[in-house]
């Protein structure tokens, strides 16, 4: 199982949530502070109704991309839908799912942003700090400003916000719409993109995201 530190309450005011992000942001490590990545978790949230989040985690072997473990948890949502504060809606269900795993992952690949966030503390960074695990944000849509990368697999262009590089637009397949990668915790952008490409040998999205999304749809 994954141990999750209880560092704050989840049912808080908007101002308190922003303050929590600003406080915890100082704990994010940007650097390759990890060993070999052999098992990778994909995390996603599905919604059955506006008040229920379905937290889904799949753990894959990083080489074969076979699923080693999985967990699904339903959690009542007690926080409103506010831009920049999605973690307060989704992380409680995801951390409960992580705690149910029997195979501990070496890294987390989250469906969302990490440092590509108004306070540089998106969902992937939040989960990384709470679990202590290396984490990456892989999003389908951009935060900040970015140009189009080249057409080939592995081509990328920087994502910037307020003059700071906060992520990359990464082409995972030739001629296919790119994805948006940002550091969550204990990664660099170079190693984060390298891992995402390893996890996406055939499709636009990494297999971690694909398997978690599929499990969320059928659960």
């Amino acid at each position: 199982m994954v141990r999750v530190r209880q560092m704050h309450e989840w049912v808080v005011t908007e101002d308190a949530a922003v303050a929590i992000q600003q406080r915890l942001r100082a704990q994010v490590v940007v650097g390759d502070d990890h060993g070999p990545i052999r098992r990778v978790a994909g995390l996603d949230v599905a919604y059955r109704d506006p008040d229920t989040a379905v937290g889904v985690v799949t753990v894959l072997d990083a080489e074969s991309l076979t699923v080693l473990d999985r967990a699904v948890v339903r959690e009542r949502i007690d926080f409103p839908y506010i831009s920049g504060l999605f973690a307060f809606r989704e992380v409680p269900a995801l951390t409960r799912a992580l705690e149910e795993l029997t195979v501990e992952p070496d890294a987390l690949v989250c469906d969302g942003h990490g440092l590509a966030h108004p306070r540089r503390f998106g969902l992937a960074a939040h989960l990384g700090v709470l679990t202590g695990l290396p984490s990456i944000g892989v999003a389908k849509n951009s935060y900040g400003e970015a140009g189009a990368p080249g057409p080939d697999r592995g081509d990328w262009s920087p994502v910037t916000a307020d003059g700071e590089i906060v992520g990359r637009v990464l082409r995972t397949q030739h001629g296919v719409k790119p994805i948006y990668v940002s550091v969550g915790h204990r990664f660099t952008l170079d190693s984060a993109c390298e891992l995402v490409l390893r996890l996406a040998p055939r499709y636009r999205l990494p297999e971690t995201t694909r398997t978690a999304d599929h499990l969320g749809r059928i659960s």
Side-chain angles (χ1 to χ4, degrees), residues 5 7 24-34 37 106-110 113-116 120-137 182-189 191-192 195:
R5 295 183 289 175
M7 304 180 72
L24 295 184
R25 167 65 184 91
Q27 300 194 33
V28 171
V29 174
V30 180
D32 286 326
D33 180 27
H34 58 80
I37 305 296
D106 299 312
L108 310 178
V109 177
C110 307
H113 293 291
L115 300 187
R120 309 297 183 262
F121 198 72
L123 182 145
H126 210 138
L127 276 165
V129 168
L130 292 182
T131 62
L133 292 172
S135 61
I136 299 170
S182 58
V183 170
H185 185 49
R186 299 175 61 191
F187 269 98
T188 61
L189 264 176
S191 62
L195 178 59

Side-chain angles (χ1 to χ4, degrees), residues 68-89:
L68 305 174
D69 197 6
R70 67 196 73 195
V72 179
V73 167
R74 287 169 175 78
E75 183 92 2
R76 176 179 170 80
I77 300 172
D78 295 311
F79 195 87
Y81 185 94
I82 301 173
S83 178
L85 296 174
F86 294 154
F88 286 83
R89 290 174 60 83

Side-chain angles (χ1 to χ4, degrees), residues 23-190:
R23 172 170 58 86
L24 295 184
R25 167 65 184 91
Q27 300 194 33
V28 171
V29 174
V30 180
D32 286 326
D33 180 27
H34 58 80
I37 305 296
R38 299 187 178 94
R39 299 173 299 277
V40 190
L43 296 90
D44 194 15
V45 172
Y47 293 91
R48 291 295 174 266
D49 58 67
D51 299 318
T52 305
V54 181
V56 181
V57 181
T58 54
V59 181
L60 276 63
D61 178 277
E63 296 301 323
S64 67
L65 301 182
T66 55
V67 176
L68 305 174
D69 197 6
R70 67 196 73 195
V72 179
V73 167
R74 287 169 175 78
E75 183 92 2
R76 176 179 170 80
I77 300 172
D78 295 311
F79 195 87
Y81 185 94
I82 301 173
S83 178
L85 296 174
F86 294 154
F88 286 83
R89 290 174 60 83
E90 299 191 345
V91 168
L94 291 173
T95 53
R96 278 192 57 208
L98 284 167
E99 290 173 332
E100 291 196 358
L101 294 175
T102 57
V103 176
E104 183 170 354
D106 299 312
L108 310 178
V109 177
C110 307
D111 181 22
H113 293 291
L115 300 187
H117 180 271
R119 288 168 291 281
R120 309 297 183 262
F121 198 72
L123 182 145
H126 210 138
L127 276 165
V129 168
L130 292 182
T131 62
L133 292 172
S135 61
I136 299 170
V138 177
K140 304 175 189 71
N141 300 296
S142 177
Y143 165 81
E145 301 178 1
D152 295 331
R153 172 178 163 86
D155 287 345
W156 61 269
S157 60
V159 176
T160 61
D162 304 317
E164 178 184 355
I165 294 176
V166 296
R168 286 181 184 171
V169 191
L170 179 65
R171 190 88 65 185
T172 54
Q173 303 297 327
H174 178 81
V176 171
K177 186 177 179 181
I179 58 176
Y180 300 86
V181 179
S182 58
V183 170
H185 185 49
R186 299 175 61 191
F187 269 98
T188 61
L189 264 176
D190 283 342

